[in-house]
Amino acid sequence: MSWFQVFFVFFLGSSINCIENLINYRLPNDTFPLSYDLSLTNYIHESNFTFNGNVKIHIKIKEETQTVTLHRRDIIIDSIDLYDGNDILKLSNLQFEYLEEFDFIRVNLETPQNKDSEIFLDFTFNGLLEEEASGFFKTPFINSDFRQEWMALTKFESINARKVFVCYDEPQIKAPFRVRIRHDKNYHAISNMPIDRVITNDNIYVTTVFQETPKIQTYALAFVISKLGFIGNNQSEIEQRIFGDPEKIQKGFGNFSLKVVENIVKKFKEIFSKSIPIPKLDHIGIPMISGASEHYGLITYEENFLLIDENFDQKVLDYFQPIIISVIAHEISHQYFGNIVTHSWWNELWLTEGFATFYQYYLPSLIFPKYNFMDKFRNEVLTYAFDIDSDNEISMSEYVESPLEIQMKYHNVVFEKAAAVLRMFFIAFESEVFTNGVKKYLNDNKDGVVTSNDFYKALQSSYNDKNPGSQLDIETIFQSWSNQAGFPIIHARKVNSSVILTQNKFNDENSSNIYKIPITFVTKSKPLTSKQLWMTSQTMIIDNILTSDDWIIFNIQQVGFYRVNYSRDLWQLIINGYSNEIHAINREVLHEEMEIAWQKLKTLKICDCLQFMNVLKYEKDGNVWEKAEYIEKLDKFLQFSDFYPQFKDLLSKIVEPHLNILNEPKVDEKFNHLITRWSKVAQNQDYLQFEFDKLLKFMTTEDERYKPDFCSAFRVVNSSIYEHFIEKVLHFDELIDLDLVFGLGCSLNKNQLKNLYRKITDPSNNVAEWMITEILRTSIEGSEIGLESVMEFIQGNLCEFNKLSEHFIEDIIIFMHHYINSENHLKKFKILSQVLSVTKIVPQSLINSMIESIGMKLQASEWKELKICMTREQTSSTYQAESTTQGASSINLMQNKLFYLMFYLLLLFCKN
């Protein structure tokens, strides 16, 4: 299933009308299928997108009935014939009715059928291939002659088999299928089972007949009609083939995946002590579709998830190969979770998708350790689960019934959240206990349908074997997560040597939800010894756990699906004791939770963040730096405020100890990138000089190895070099580096900037308007000097700007107002805005709106907090500088009508 579909259905789900819950959308359960004989003919080779066929269903009567109700949507029924239990025709052209809201077709058998009797119903039908990847659909491909042709294939999950043939389209109703596909002889057909035989019909058509499947659910059925090529290995226990574009297969683009699928199947067998009970497993790369879909013995993939050119640069391979491995592992895991055991209804879908999502990371971590798949799990699955579930009101086991609800069940709660919960208990119950429980779950329910209780029962048995006499109730523990929406946040506060924990649902402190949480923690005095306790009520006390200077960290290596909110005194202990003794993952999480406490919970202040930021002086792990996202939020909030120089000074001191990386090989590219990024923001002088030196080498050699960060280099460049690059821009060609062009706007010299602005706005230089816009924007967002220079230049050079497009200045002013963050700049902005309003360049209503927005920002409570926590010397010097600036601009130009009249007359002169 594509990520877009998962994202879409999650948010659309909230709009389902609750009245649907009052209607029964399920089949009446008075009959069930014993087998299906399905025959289809397609005409895809003619670019004819119709199909027709018949399905003969062997039916068992569970309760006396005169009608049989099945699923059908979109297809047209031509006729229905009734056969008795001996397959003898009894009635032709039976009467039927459509119940469109339910996707039902109700067939009238004319006479009641006795309980436990058997009948056959033979439906003939026709339909159209879908445009989208649903049901039986078409997709184009380009042949070796570069001409477009078509292929046809199916995607029945979740309830789309009914769009192709009449059936019992519910997951708990499993039956064997015998499939026959009639198609053009130049195409080949693939289905769940190996081919039994191919029958030649005439000069055009053949019929491919497949072996009978075991009992499977309708959505597990699949077939593909195409001209794809393949590479295979029939020497392994299960024959596996990689299908794809014939030319790409010939070039070896399927070789990597073939090795991957063999290794993954072997590893699953090793873990579960059970082979996948299938005779073959085909993996089919389809162009022009997204996502991947599992079926019994056949998996379809977006082409990029299966085929790859192994001649790519290693960096490219290191990015794409783990994606391919992960997707393949997810889909193969469905041969166990989904096919060997099938969810009994859609509220149990998390059993299928949660296990598949967990094992798509865990299993490859055992085979391909270099890709750190469990780190990827934490950064991709766990992080996304936290984000999507923070305001969610849908539980993992939410009951659904209507067709629309069922299709929208495929949201992130049953994928990422379920996987995060399973991983938590994989560790809490110990991997051996958990794995043995899963093996028992698969063995006890082989080829059957399951509920979550079946899994809990198997896991409980495994746990009891390892922990005889334990009173731990796994069903109760699991249900607190599967039956309740959201996840908990633990509030930790220190009382003498003890810690008191309380829990509530994240983002809902009034919720009555109580989660059964495996609490893990370490302390400073015992940093290598972690402990686990079970929190089963709203409050828990951990007695006598801390010494006077002990820090304590909960949720070790973020194994639990919960957040932690530390009290301020516990944060202070963590700050005082922050070192590499704290595991790197725990340090990452601390930076995340600092931001949560400041931004979301409001339990910490902006000054707490600034204090915690100091620990990064000693941090050399790029992953930890990456989690300190609050730096960017602090930067945006403080940018160009009266406190911004102090913030940049603090940031500069934090990056200073790490600047030796500039002259060293890039061992940790993430770390290098982030140190460079924040050195640039802080305008650290050593870093700026480093980039300027590279600029000088680049000018003399034009060697790309010395290409600098132009923005940083131009902050300290002298006027002659700066002028050299201005001239280069004025005579640019299409190959000029745009980073160089825009970097000119980063200068910290007002004279340089105003000279630049004059030249780029001079019509005789023919500088493109989009380029002028980007240079001015770079100045505005790059520094206070740049911001002030643009304001002053616009105010003093309206004639030049009047020659540009009608809304040019208005667009620049709108962009500029986001960077006004002090009373001093607001005063200057008001003067400029009034000029632009009087001269009719910018509407007064727009100006009023912008000024109101700036005023609200300057009233934020954080400014008062900052005044308290900044040192007195710094704040007094800041205020003194501010008052001096304000005094210099104290002439009230806003009321000087002569001033505005002058500008207005000047503008009229410009226009004439």
Side-chain angles (χ1 to χ4, degrees):
M1 189 163 196
S2 73
W3 298 115
F4 172 78
Q5 289 169 303
V6 170
F7 180 81
F8 172 75
V9 298
F10 174 78
F11 286 101
L12 189 58
S14 61
S15 66
I16 294 293
N17 194 316
C18 64
I19 194 67
E20 291 187 336
N21 295 324
L22 304 177
I23 304 172
N24 185 359
Y25 288 88
R26 300 184 67 162
L27 291 172
N29 198 33
D30 52 2
T31 66
F32 69 92
L34 298 173
S35 66
Y36 295 84
D37 279 280
L38 175 63
S39 298
L40 284 171
T41 298
N42 80 96
Y43 310 94
I44 196 74
H45 61 288
E46 300 174 350
S47 296
N48 177 342
F49 305 131
T50 63
F51 66 89
N52 54 58
N54 73 286
V55 60
K56 194 171 188 178
I57 310 175
H58 188 186
I59 296 172
K60 178 87 168 185
I61 308 297
K62 295 175 67 176
E63 301 291 341
E64 182 179 308
T65 182
Q66 190 173 316
T67 61
V68 174
T69 303
L70 308 95
H71 284 111
R72 163 266 169 207
R73 183 165 79 244
D74 296 343
I75 54 172
I76 297 170
I77 305 301
D78 298 318
S79 66
I80 306 173
D81 295 336
L82 170 66
Y83 294 76
D84 65 16
N86 296 315
D87 202 12
I88 298 172
L89 180 63
K90 289 296 184 182
L91 292 169
S92 297
N93 295 314
L94 294 175
Q95 297 297 305
F96 61 89
E97 61 177 328
Y98 296 143
L99 287 76
E100 300 286 1
E101 179 184 356
F102 302 88
D103 289 351
F104 286 171
I105 179 173
R106 182 180 294 152
V107 182
N108 186 349
L109 304 177
E110 295 194 4
T111 58
Q113 302 297 309
N114 295 328
K115 179 180 178 180
D116 293 331
S117 63
E118 297 177 12
I119 61 171
F120 291 84
L121 285 179
D122 192 352
F123 299 83
T124 60
F125 53 83
N126 66 85
L128 290 173
L129 297 178
E130 299 276 347
E131 299 279 346
E132 304 297 329
S134 173
F136 196 14
F137 67 98
K138 60 186 173 70
T139 188
F141 68 94
I142 305 302
N143 65 20
S144 57
D145 296 326
F146 301 102
R147 296 175 57 190
Q148 178 176 283
E149 294 190 60
W150 295 91
M151 58 191 297
L153 65 155
T154 58
K155 183 179 180 181
F156 291 159
E157 192 176 14
S158 54
I159 52 170
N160 293 314
R162 64 189 68 176
K163 297 169 71 174
V164 182
F165 60 97
V166 179
C167 57
Y168 293 80
D169 204 10
E170 292 183 353
Q172 80 283 9
I173 304 177
K174 303 173 78 168
F177 283 82
R178 291 178 288 275
V179 177
R180 302 160 62 96
I181 305 291
R182 184 170 176 264
H183 56 89
D184 179 84
K185 65 181 181 181
N186 295 314
Y187 282 66
H188 56 75
I190 314 163
S191 189
N192 306 82
M193 297 296 288
I195 294 173
D196 181 64
R197 62 191 185 280
V198 177
I199 303 169
T200 301
N201 303 130
D202 50 38
N203 291 333
I204 299 175
Y205 289 97
V206 296
T207 297
T208 301
V209 182
F210 298 94
Q211 297 175 18
E212 182 178 279
T213 72
K215 288 183 178 181
I216 61 173
Q217 65 277 25
T218 48
Y219 79 72
L221 185 69
F223 35 87
V224 179
I225 301 99
S226 74
K227 292 183 177 179
L228 296 175
F230 72 89
I231 181 175
N233 182 358
N234 57 10
Q235 304 302 313
S236 57
E237 181 179 354
I238 299 172
E239 180 186 1
Q240 302 208 63
R241 298 182 294 180
I242 307 294
F243 284 80
D245 178 291
E247 186 174 345
K248 292 179 180 178
I249 292 294
Q250 189 175 11
K251 290 181 178 179
F253 286 20
N255 295 351
F256 175 74
S257 290
L258 186 61
K259 290 179 285 189
V260 170
V261 298
E262 290 174 348
N263 282 320
I264 286 176
V265 166
K266 287 178 183 176
K267 184 57 72 172
F268 267 124
K269 179 183 178 182
E270 178 185 322
I271 290 176
F272 295 144
S273 305
K274 176 189 286 294
S275 297
I276 304 171
I278 51 177
K280 60 91 180 174
L281 184 54
D282 290 330
H283 306 263
I284 306 177
I286 310 292
M288 307 297 287
I289 69 166
S290 60
S293 294
E294 75 280 0
H295 316 90
Y296 183 91
L298 184 157
I299 302 170
T300 56
Y301 301 81
E302 176 182 332
E303 186 179 69
N304 292 334
F305 288 162
L306 193 66
L307 306 183
I308 190 169
D309 183 355
E310 293 187 86
N311 293 316
F312 278 145
D313 179 82
Q314 190 58 47
K315 283 187 177 181
V316 176
L317 293 177
D318 285 343
Y319 176 80
F320 283 105
Q321 285 181 336
I323 296 174
I324 290 173
I325 292 167
S326 181
V327 173
I328 288 174
H330 181 102
E331 302 306 330
I332 290 179
S333 70
H334 278 307
Q335 301 301 316
Y336 291 93
F337 307 103
N339 292 341
I340 289 181
V341 292
T342 306
H343 46 275
S344 62
W345 189 249
W346 301 107
N347 59 306
E348 307 285 10
L349 180 63
W350 71 268
L351 288 169
T352 297
E353 295 299 347
F355 272 114
T357 304
F358 171 67
Y359 280 109
Q360 84 176 72
Y361 291 87
Y362 174 66
L363 188 126
S365 74
L366 306 176
I367 309 172
F368 307 97
K370 79 168 188 172
Y371 290 123
N372 300 313
F373 273 99
M374 292 315 289
D375 285 342
K376 291 179 183 293
F377 181 97
R378 195 170 50 80
N379 290 320
E380 295 170 6
V381 176
L382 188 61
T383 298
Y384 194 57
F386 277 131
D387 288 343
I388 206 72
D389 209 33
S390 60
D391 293 305
N392 169 47
E393 295 300 329
I394 301 174
S395 71
M396 287 158 51
S397 58
E398 189 88 1
Y399 184 79
V400 295
E401 196 166 287
S402 75
L404 184 57
E405 285 179 321
I406 291 168
Q407 293 184 77
M408 290 190 294
K409 183 66 176 176
Y410 283 77
H411 51 63
N412 303 88
V413 170
V414 302
F415 285 80
E416 283 83 4
K417 178 184 177 176
V421 171
L422 289 168
R423 169 181 173 264
M424 174 170 63
F425 292 122
F426 175 85
I427 296 168
F429 298 137
E430 298 181 4
S431 60
E432 180 186 359
V433 169
F434 189 91
T435 301
N436 286 338
V438 173
K439 287 197 287 189
K440 183 172 176 58
Y441 167 65
L442 293 171
N443 289 328
D444 290 353
N445 301 284
K446 181 179 180 295
D447 298 329
V449 295
V450 291
T451 68
S452 51
N453 287 335
D454 295 311
F455 170 56
Y456 304 152
K457 179 181 175 182
L459 186 56
Q460 184 76 63
S461 175
S462 176
Y463 186 84
N464 292 345
D465 289 344
K466 183 73 179 289
N467 303 276
S470 171
Q471 299 301 307
L472 196 72
D473 186 346
I474 285 177
E475 180 178 346
T476 302
I477 290 171
F478 246 105
Q479 285 181 343
S480 74
W481 296 86
S482 64
N483 294 353
Q484 295 186 128
F487 60 88
I489 181 166
I490 305 300
H491 305 275
R493 61 188 176 91
K494 182 176 180 290
V495 179
N496 299 322
S497 62
S498 301
V499 175
I500 299 177
L501 304 180
T502 58
Q503 66 160 293
N504 60 262
K505 182 184 173 190
F506 187 84
N507 270 354
D508 186 2
E509 59 186 30
N510 297 318
S511 169
S512 60
N513 286 12
I514 299 294
Y515 304 85
K516 314 295 183 184
I517 308 169
I519 300 291
T520 56
F521 63 90
V522 293
T523 61
K524 178 183 177 182
S525 56
K526 296 181 179 179
L528 301 178
T529 305
S530 62
K531 294 184 179 180
Q532 177 176 293
L533 302 171
W534 285 95
M535 185 176 186
T536 58
S537 58
Q538 189 172 23
T539 303
M540 185 172 83
I541 299 174
I542 306 176
D543 285 318
N544 302 318
I545 191 65
L546 298 178
T547 61
S548 59
D549 65 343
D550 248 356
W551 49 252
I552 187 168
I553 294 173
F554 291 95
N555 198 9
I556 301 309
Q557 297 180 44
Q558 208 171 31
V559 298
F561 185 50
Y562 59 91
R563 288 294 190 184
V564 182
N565 176 36
Y566 299 91
S567 59
R568 185 175 271 106
D569 53 353
L570 287 176
W571 271 116
Q572 193 61 56
L573 291 169
I574 291 169
I575 292 170
N576 295 343
Y578 189 97
S579 72
N580 285 341
E581 281 192 337
I582 301 173
H583 193 283
I585 293 177
N586 295 335
R587 302 201 306 273
E588 289 180 44
V589 176
L590 285 171
H591 286 277
E592 288 181 325
E593 289 177 342
M594 168 59 71
E595 180 180 341
I596 291 169
W598 170 43
Q599 290 278 287
K600 292 186 178 181
L601 303 176
K602 310 298 183 185
T603 54
L604 293 180
K605 306 296 185 182
I606 190 171
C607 295
D608 297 310
C609 263
L610 289 166
Q611 184 187 11
F612 188 61
M613 199 171 83
N614 272 293
V615 303
L616 291 169
K617 288 179 186 176
Y618 317 106
E619 185 58 70
K620 296 184 180 296
D621 190 314
N623 291 321
V624 179
W625 271 85
E626 186 178 43
K627 295 297 183 180
E629 294 179 1
Y630 56 84
I631 300 178
E632 183 172 0
K633 291 182 172 64
L634 287 166
D635 179 55
K636 286 185 177 179
F637 180 76
L638 295 170
Q639 190 174 25
F640 306 157
S641 71
D642 296 328
F643 302 105
Y644 197 51
Q646 294 155 263
F647 173 74
K648 288 195 295 181
D649 183 55
L650 171 63
L651 188 56
S652 183
K653 289 176 181 176
I654 289 170
V655 299
E656 190 79 41
H658 307 301
L659 289 180
N660 60 312
I661 64 158
L662 298 175
N663 297 302
E664 294 179 355
K666 293 184 179 181
V667 178
D668 182 343
E669 289 196 9
K670 193 178 291 183
F671 181 58
N672 283 51
H673 166 72
L674 289 166
I675 293 300
T676 301
R677 174 189 176 188
W678 293 121
S679 298
K680 177 179 176 180
V681 170
Q683 296 175 24
N684 177 277
Q685 289 302 308
D686 290 341
Y687 171 72
L688 298 184
Q689 187 62 45
F690 173 79
E691 293 297 340
F692 176 64
D693 292 343
K694 284 172 65 178
L695 176 67
L696 295 178
K697 291 180 181 178
F698 184 70
M699 287 177 66
T700 55
T701 65
E702 295 190 354
D703 188 331
E704 285 292 313
R705 292 177 300 169
Y706 300 122
K707 179 181 172 182
D709 174 70
F710 288 105
C711 180
S712 297
F714 287 143
R715 291 193 187 281
V716 292
V717 75
N718 62 46
S719 293
S720 62
I721 295 176
Y722 190 77
E723 187 66 28
H724 164 78
F725 282 103
I726 290 178
E727 292 304 314
K728 209 171 179 181
V729 168
L730 295 179
H731 301 92
F732 81 98
D733 57 32
E734 292 182 359
L735 298 179
I736 194 168
D737 192 325
L738 292 180
D739 288 339
L740 185 160
V741 176
F742 304 150
L744 287 168
C746 293
S747 170
L748 298 178
N749 183 308
K750 277 193 176 184
N751 291 329
Q752 289 178 357
L753 288 173
K754 289 181 180 179
N755 183 40
L756 169 67
Y757 303 156
R758 275 193 297 272
K759 291 190 174 183
I760 62 175
T761 56
D762 184 342
S764 65
N765 286 323
N766 295 315
V767 178
E769 189 170 306
W770 67 268
M771 193 175 286
I772 299 172
T773 298
E774 291 305 320
I775 290 173
L776 294 179
R777 285 187 171 196
T778 301
S779 288
I780 290 168
E781 67 185 355
S783 68
E784 294 172 89
I785 291 171
L787 172 65
E788 292 172 1
S789 297
V790 173
M791 283 197 280
E792 292 166 9
F793 187 78
I794 291 176
Q795 189 169 308
N797 297 272
L798 287 178
C799 283
E800 282 77 358
F801 287 103
N802 190 52
K803 297 165 187 173
L804 299 171
S805 63
E806 181 181 356
H807 295 290
F808 180 86
I809 292 182
E810 181 178 316
D811 292 341
I812 291 293
I813 294 300
I814 291 172
F815 181 80
M816 180 188 294
H817 98 276
H818 295 293
Y819 295 88
I820 305 299
N821 209 16
S822 71
E823 293 292 344
N824 182 35
H825 286 148
L826 176 57
K827 182 169 288 189
K828 292 182 178 183
F829 184 76
K830 285 180 177 178
I831 294 171
L832 173 61
S833 298
Q834 202 64 33
V835 170
L836 297 175
S837 173
V838 168
T839 52
K840 309 296 184 184
I841 295 175
V842 179
Q844 184 65 51
S845 59
L846 178 58
I847 289 172
N848 292 342
S849 175
M850 290 188 289
I851 290 175
E852 181 182 359
S853 172
I854 296 168
M856 290 176 63
K857 183 168 59 172
L858 294 179
Q859 295 303 312
S861 61
E862 281 89 347
W863 301 118
K864 294 180 181 178
E865 297 163 12
L866 283 164
K867 289 177 183 178
I868 294 171
C869 69
M870 293 291 187
T871 61
R872 288 185 178 180
E873 290 89 5
Q874 290 173 312
T875 50
S876 62
S877 63
T878 302
Y879 296 146
Q880 187 177 2
E882 179 184 331
S883 61
T884 302
T885 307
Q886 290 175 358
S889 60
S890 61
I891 300 173
N892 193 352
L893 295 175
M894 306 285 272
Q895 298 175 354
N896 192 330
K897 296 181 181 179
L898 182 61
F899 174 81
Y900 296 123
L901 178 61
M902 178 186 70
F903 270 103
Y904 187 66
L905 292 174
L906 178 63
L907 186 63
L908 290 175
F909 175 77
C910 292
K911 289 182 177 179
N912 294 325

